[in-house]
Amino acid sequence: QLQLQESGSGLVKPSQTLSLTCAVSGGSFSSGGNSWNWIRQAPGKGLEWIGYSYHGGSTYYNPSLKSRVSVSLDRSKNQFSLKLSSVTAADTAVYYCARGYCSSASCYDYLWDVWGKGTTVTVSS
Amino acid sequence: DIQMTQSPSTLSASVGDRVTITCRASQSIANYLAWYQQKPGEAPKLLIYDASSLQSGVPSRFSGSGSGTEFTLTINSLQPDDFATYYCQQYNNYSPTFGPGTKVDI
């Protein structure tokens, strides 16, 4: 069954770029209409969707983060990545990668049925 | 953005209880509403989508209802494994948002 695993820098300095990768195992990007997403959760706070990319390469981002975010797929490595630039302490959070859900009838860009375990990123000098 | 609210923020219950959580949207979202369960240190788990459709593998004691701006999640006969935080999430537009969560504890 499909599994996702986040990796990347756990400590990022203010104003720098946060970079994370999500390794996909037990499946691939090439099949289906799933979106590939990043979602975060600040300490003690709720969940915030960051953005997604499709296997076809199209992307869509949370308008509040759009100017700083990039999500990309690497089909050769079966992984997808997140870059968030000009980070501040407000970007400190647990970052999850997640797959968009497809039922037998349709695919949903904004529902997520498979999640990684999450990785903690702290923004601090 | 569509704002989501949940009530109560914390709910104390016992095994075997019937529990109801309410979620409200700041504008109509039709039935584009999902519920997730999250346990400490874990990722959220999709329970219900389209307001009332049970995700595969989720026990039938979970049910959802509602449309427009008001929705409910009901857990019949609460089990020990159900003590967790529950989030509602709307996906009516291109900017999905979550509620602040309801913690169900003993």
Side-chain angles (χ1 to χ4, degrees):
Chain A
Q1 89 205 40
L2 192 85
Q3 292 186 313
L4 306 178
Q5 177 67 58
E6 304 91 347
S7 63
S9 53
L11 180 64
V12 183
K13 289 182 167 50
S15 80
Q16 293 191 341
T17 296
L18 178 162
S19 295
L20 297 175
T21 296
C22 182
V24 181
S25 59
S28 76
F29 297 120
S30 301
S31 59
N34 306 89
S35 61
W36 301 92
N37 296 255
W38 289 94
I39 296 158
R40 70 182 181 179
Q41 186 169 30
K45 300 280 181 70
L47 294 148
E48 181 180 33
W49 172 73
I50 298 171
Y52 72 66
S53 181
Y54 270 111
H55 64 84
S58 58
T59 55
Y60 201 81
Y61 303 126
N62 188 320
S64 68
L65 299 170
K66 185 178 181 179
S67 63
R68 301 193 291 129
V69 174
S70 174
V71 177
S72 60
L73 306 185
D74 186 338
R75 284 184 287 275
S76 67
K77 295 182 179 179
N78 239 31
Q79 64 185 34
F80 60 107
S81 300
L82 167 70
K83 291 189 185 302
L84 181 66
S85 63
S86 304
V87 298
T88 69
D91 295 309
T92 294
V94 175
Y95 284 76
Y96 296 99
C97 57
R99 182 184 75 171
Y101 171 56
C102 287
S103 69
S104 56
S106 61
C107 288
Y108 299 79
D109 292 339
Y110 304 117
L111 289 179
W112 309 286
D113 64 335
V114 180
W115 296 62
K117 294 183 187 301
T119 188
T120 299
V121 176
T122 302
V123 178
S124 174
S125 56
Chain B
D1 279 2
I2 297 175
Q3 308 302 318
M4 307 300 292
T5 59
Q6 289 181 234
S7 60
S9 56
T10 304
L11 190 160
S12 295
S14 301
V15 173
D17 284 353
R18 183 172 186 259
V19 165
T20 299
I21 299 169
T22 299
C23 175
R24 290 185 175 87
S26 60
Q27 64 189 73
S28 177
I29 57 171
N31 68 332
Y32 297 115
L33 190 284
W35 290 96
Y36 293 83
Q37 176 194 66
Q38 186 178 34
K39 297 179 181 178
E42 297 184 5
K45 174 186 174 183
L46 178 63
L47 299 176
I48 287 170
Y49 63 98
D50 290 349
S52 61
S53 296
L54 197 65
Q55 168 68 338
S56 176
V58 174
S60 59
R61 63 180 180 272
F62 291 92
S63 64
S65 64
S67 67
T69 61
E70 188 157 331
F71 303 85
T72 59
L73 171 70
T74 300
I75 311 172
N76 284 305
S77 188
L78 197 69
Q79 297 301 299
D81 191 48
D82 301 337
F83 291 96
T85 299
Y86 294 84
Y87 294 94
C88 62
Q89 177 232 328
Q90 67 80 18
Y91 49 100
N92 181 63
N93 60 13
Y94 295 110
S95 186
T97 50
F98 292 85
T102 294
K103 184 178 181 181
V104 177
D105 62 17
I106 299 173

